Amino acid sequence: MTPAELSRTVLRSVRGAVEEQELSVPVPARIVVQPPPRPGCGDYASNVALQLAKPAGRPAREVAEILQKRLAGSAGIARVEIAGPGFLNFTLGEGAQAALVRDVLAQGERYGDRGAGDGPVAGVCDTGPAVGSGAREDLAAGSGAREVVVAEALARIEVAAGRRPQGPAGRVDGDARTAAPEELAALIGRLGSDEARWVLLRPAAHDPVRVPERLVQRESNPRFRVQYAHARTRALVRGARELGFTGEPGDVGAPAAVSAADGPADHCLQSLHTLLATYPSVIETAARLRAPDRVVRHLEATADAFFRWHDAFAPLPVGDEKPLAVHRARLALAEAGGTVLANGLRLLGISAPEHL
């Protein structure tokens, strides 16, 4: 069950409570479900009961109890718990994670893209390396190069979210467009196309762009880390092919190892699944807020979660070990992670390398 599906399920429970006069409130247009603020609180949480409490004229916990009873036994939901003043915490049913992976792999390039099939959006996508340390220069929010790159990325993101490209971020004024080619070409000449675009897209709209002086390919560079994570997922697929097996969504089994710094292994697994599941909603939010930096941050978090999970759950057999069902399940999860990384990079106009 994806967050969107869970949101619709909760919305149906609210509508049912209103129709049967258990609650007297306007039915909201949508219900927001999000990952819980800390591990151990289920897979997703919602504050819908707190939002409905005032119009219902009842304590939030009473509203939560009404919704909890209606949601009990819903397909895909194993448990609904009430926390604090009336938060609803949802634990998904067995097989939900495998179903998510299956869904991501089945949709492939269309995952998170509600506008799939509408045709490409004009934009520039080149390839290039790096980032670095050393002296930096700042580019202002009104930089022509920044405006052009942000407008290109937003056009792709808005189409993916099912919106028509619009607004000032989808257009660049004449002065910026005139200045942009030289400024952008110079930046690409220094950093390569991928890094130049990442540098311009990563800051929030109100923050300046920090341009690195020297080019360095290492994991301390967020853009390199995201591309490296994608390349690693492709390397795993190639390695599995050489061993004679392919991915198949299922139970990934127990972890081989996990560091104390990463916390319990099930937390890093849940974190990766949550980031894959919430990718479509991140694209919608980025389009609505006209904020491509939301996509950048989500890809960084996904890459970091992938590496933590990868270190705890060996996707490929080790030594004389034969490929087992857990290896097929882990490979499928790695492929799903690679799909999300590739899809997000493509929206940003940045390459998703097979090798790095």
Side-chain angles (χ1 to χ4, degrees):
M1 174 175 283
T2 66
E5 292 169 338
L6 178 58
S7 174
R8 289 192 291 269
T9 299
V10 178
L11 183 58
R12 284 194 297 270
S13 74
V14 173
R15 188 176 293 115
V18 171
E19 290 174 351
E20 297 183 18
Q21 299 183 350
E22 290 184 283
L23 290 175
S24 179
V25 296
V27 177
R30 59 192 293 266
I31 303 291
V32 175
V33 296
Q34 298 176 319
R38 56 186 180 277
C41 297
D43 297 305
Y44 295 101
S46 177
N47 65 349
V48 60
L50 282 77
Q51 293 176 335
L52 297 178
K54 185 174 181 180
R58 305 173 72 166
R61 283 193 70 92
E62 283 189 15
V63 176
E65 288 169 359
I66 291 171
L67 299 180
Q68 180 189 39
K69 291 177 182 177
R70 288 187 160 271
L71 288 163
S74 296
I77 300 177
R79 189 166 63 254
V80 182
E81 297 173 306
I82 301 173
F87 292 99
L88 290 171
N89 291 341
F90 304 93
T91 299
L92 301 185
E94 185 178 353
Q97 294 180 337
L100 168 65
V101 172
R102 189 173 291 107
D103 186 43
V104 174
L105 296 179
Q107 293 192 49
E109 292 185 0
R110 296 179 292 107
Y111 183 67
D113 188 350
R114 295 176 58 187
D118 290 345
V121 177
V124 180
C125 183
D126 201 345
T127 57
V131 78
S133 54
R136 294 173 178 267
E137 62 181 274
D138 291 356
L139 294 181
S143 154
R146 184 181 191 179
E147 288 190 12
V148 168
V149 170
V150 167
E152 290 174 352
L154 271 177
R156 287 185 288 264
I157 290 169
E158 287 176 330
V159 170
R163 294 168 172 250
R164 185 182 300 276
Q166 59 182 326
R171 299 190 298 268
V172 182
D173 64 45
D175 292 341
R177 188 175 293 281
T178 300
E182 183 176 347
E183 183 183 38
L184 184 56
L187 197 59
I188 290 174
R190 284 174 53 187
L191 304 176
S193 179
D194 284 353
E195 185 64 24
R197 283 177 165 73
W198 190 274
V199 164
L200 293 170
L201 293 168
R202 191 172 191 259
H206 56 274
D207 292 331
V209 173
R210 308 289 184 180
V211 181
E213 175 76 13
R214 294 173 297 179
L215 308 181
V216 179
Q217 289 275 53
R218 59 177 58 154
E219 290 188 47
S220 59
N221 169 8
R223 189 273 311 158
F224 174 82
R225 196 161 62 248
V226 169
Q227 289 183 312
Y228 180 47
H230 175 266
R232 180 57 184 156
T233 67
R234 303 311 302 159
L236 290 170
V237 172
R238 292 192 297 272
R241 189 181 302 125
E242 292 175 1
L243 293 173
F245 75 98
T246 57
E248 176 60 36
D251 184 357
V252 299
V258 66
S259 69
D262 290 335
D266 59 338
H267 290 175
C268 70
L269 175 62
Q270 179 179 332
S271 176
L272 179 57
H273 277 107
T274 298
L275 287 161
L276 301 187
T278 53
Y279 170 75
S281 65
V282 168
I283 300 305
E284 293 180 8
T285 300
R288 177 168 49 83
L289 300 179
R290 310 184 66 71
D293 58 288
R294 296 286 184 117
V295 180
V296 173
R297 289 198 294 275
H298 192 81
L299 295 184
E300 291 179 8
T302 302
D304 290 342
F306 166 76
F307 283 124
R308 288 194 299 270
W309 168 80
H310 175 280
D311 292 344
F313 294 80
L316 299 182
V318 178
D320 295 331
E321 190 178 15
K322 300 295 183 183
L324 303 172
V326 293
H327 297 118
R328 291 191 289 274
R330 293 172 186 176
L331 180 63
L333 178 53
E335 288 184 87
T339 296
V340 166
L341 293 172
N343 291 357
L345 287 168
R346 185 173 58 254
L347 292 181
L348 299 177
I350 296 172
S351 68
E354 293 278 320
H355 304 268
L356 198 60

